[in-house]
Amino acid sequence: MVNFTILAGGYTSFVASYLFNSETNALSLLNTSPTGDNPSWIALHPTNKSILYAVNENSPGSLQTFVIGSQGLLSSPFDTIYSDGDAPAFATPLSGAYLGQVAVMDYNSGTGLIVPTTPDALHFGSGNQLTFPAPVSHPHMALQHGESEVFVPDLGADKVWRLAQDGKPGDWKIQGQIVQPTGSGPRHAAIRGNTLYVLHELASTLTQQNIPPAPNGTTGPLIANFSIIPPDPPVGADFAAGEILLTEPSLNFPAPYIYVSNRNTGVQDPKGDAIVIFQVEPELKLLKYVYTGLDQIRGMQLGGPEDEFLIAGGVNGTAGVVMLRRTDGGRDLELFVRNTELPTRTSFVWLPTD
């Protein structure tokens, strides 16, 4: 299989569809589908791959559902609900025991919502709003931890909140927290076994720690704490970490790796922002910075066979989106192709191939 369709959200009023041909190294814009304003984060249903969820990162914020058609074209919204908060920057459907619920986090209002869906996954029920108890709260992600809880990194509170279902679908409570370094600004995270990897926006660091027992087990010391700021940045550079992706071993990529993005919000490096590669085993180790030419990488996503390819976009500038290929067993990335038909994109979903 050489053709892949990729959907891309952004701060526009549409979701874009790209076609990537891995044989000819061509990345082309197929179409755009109208949505609500600012579908900055999009996510695919975990079992029905024809259903897409998209936030409207507005005030008040919204969550929408779509059916994906030929060439990635979206239907009109099947349902739109308010997120009951301000500026939802992230949404994700849950899976396993929590299949049929969607989490949406409101960055500006320090609130979150996990709502049930109808059996067809296209319409929303109601859920109780969660208000995170901190003087400043900016929840930026929801990450399911096994079959028991959902983690919410909170950039303003320097905590990872632990949520548990409290009755029927849509009813959730805050059952605990995992304290993070003061002023670090936890943004996104990844879980592997009993290990939590947190990407901190304000400190531009990647940390590793054991997950303490729920709900409020004692947080042990960090196992690792790495700066992801590239060497020799230009004077006036100002970094804010963006996204984290974790891969598991496969035939051609026999070791796990972590890929994290920088976002330089200050004076730009002519090489653009870097994606930083970490080995995971036997211990976390920074391997390489790969420069992309992008301006503020907010979103990136792996896809293709064995997650061989990585697509990334900047939230600023005119550098468009880039497709990179994992090489050297995952220890490196090479730039395949760039598409600048749209200047910016902020999140991505790879569609399954036939």
Side-chain angles (χ1 to χ4, degrees):
M1 178 59 65
V2 296
N3 287 319
F4 303 94
T5 304
I6 303 150
L7 303 182
Y11 289 108
T12 53
S13 57
F14 61 82
V15 166
S17 174
Y18 291 91
L19 180 68
F20 171 54
N21 186 304
S22 60
E23 189 172 87
T24 63
N25 298 350
L27 181 64
S28 56
L29 179 66
L30 283 173
N31 53 64
T32 60
S33 299
T35 63
D37 290 340
N38 300 316
S40 62
W41 198 267
I42 59 176
L44 203 61
H45 190 278
T47 59
N48 186 340
K49 304 298 185 180
S50 66
I51 295 176
L52 185 79
Y53 300 101
V55 303
N56 298 148
E57 194 178 333
N58 305 319
S59 180
S62 301
L63 180 66
Q64 297 186 298
T65 57
F66 302 88
V67 169
I68 305 166
S70 176
Q71 295 188 325
L73 274 171
L74 302 184
S75 66
S76 298
F78 270 77
D79 200 4
T80 301
I81 61 165
Y82 287 117
S83 65
D84 292 339
D86 184 356
F90 186 92
T92 187
L94 305 182
S95 60
Y98 302 134
L99 184 67
Q101 300 185 75
V102 180
V104 56
M105 296 296 138
D106 297 297
Y107 178 83
N108 282 346
S109 55
T111 56
L113 194 66
I114 299 180
V115 294
T117 63
T118 52
D120 63 7
L122 289 172
H123 298 87
F124 299 111
S126 60
N128 62 300
Q129 186 185 53
L130 297 164
T131 298
F132 298 103
V136 178
S137 173
H138 294 307
H140 214 300
M141 185 192 196
L143 177 64
Q144 186 170 337
H145 176 218
E147 300 289 313
S148 60
E149 57 185 342
V150 171
F151 287 175
V152 177
D154 191 326
L155 189 151
D158 291 328
K159 294 178 174 63
V160 175
W161 303 106
R162 306 179 79 151
L163 311 184
Q165 189 167 308
D166 189 26
K168 67 181 186 300
D171 291 344
W172 288 74
K173 66 179 180 180
I174 301 167
Q175 69 167 355
Q177 61 193 38
I178 304 173
V179 177
Q180 300 298 299
T182 301
S184 63
R187 177 184 173 95
H188 282 193
I191 296 170
R192 187 168 194 260
N194 195 49
T195 303
L196 178 65
Y197 301 93
V198 181
L199 188 64
H200 302 267
E201 176 176 327
L202 303 184
S204 284
T205 54
L206 174 65
T207 61
Q208 176 188 2
Q209 64 188 122
N210 292 324
I211 298 174
N216 259 323
T218 302
T219 303
L222 296 176
I223 299 170
N225 188 351
F226 284 89
S227 172
I228 67 166
I229 296 175
D232 303 318
V235 175
D238 189 10
F239 288 94
E243 180 63 300
I244 175 172
L245 303 174
L246 188 152
T247 64
E248 290 295 345
S250 63
L251 178 63
N252 292 303
F253 301 96
Y257 292 96
I258 288 175
Y259 305 85
V260 300
S261 71
N262 278 293
R263 295 182 303 153
N264 181 0
T265 63
V267 175
Q268 292 296 300
D269 188 317
K271 300 188 295 295
D273 286 347
I275 296 172
V276 191
I277 306 172
F278 286 85
Q279 77 173 28
V280 174
E281 296 175 339
E283 61 182 9
L284 197 64
K285 179 181 179 182
L286 195 158
L287 298 178
K288 189 170 185 177
Y289 299 89
V290 178
Y291 292 90
T292 64
L294 296 172
D295 185 348
Q296 300 180 39
I297 305 173
R298 184 181 188 269
M300 58 185 190
Q301 192 57 255
L302 293 153
E306 300 181 73
D307 284 337
E308 181 180 5
F309 302 102
L310 186 154
I311 189 169
V315 72
N316 200 21
T318 60
V321 300
V322 297
M323 184 68 70
L324 302 104
R325 178 174 175 265
R326 294 206 290 156
T327 60
D328 193 18
R331 297 173 61 89
D332 203 351
L333 293 166
E334 65 172 338
L335 181 61
F336 249 31
V337 63
R338 182 184 306 273
N339 182 290
T340 59
E341 292 176 85
L342 297 174
T344 63
R345 291 286 88 190
T346 59
S347 61
F348 301 93
V349 163
W350 288 73
L351 299 184
T353 55
D354 295 332

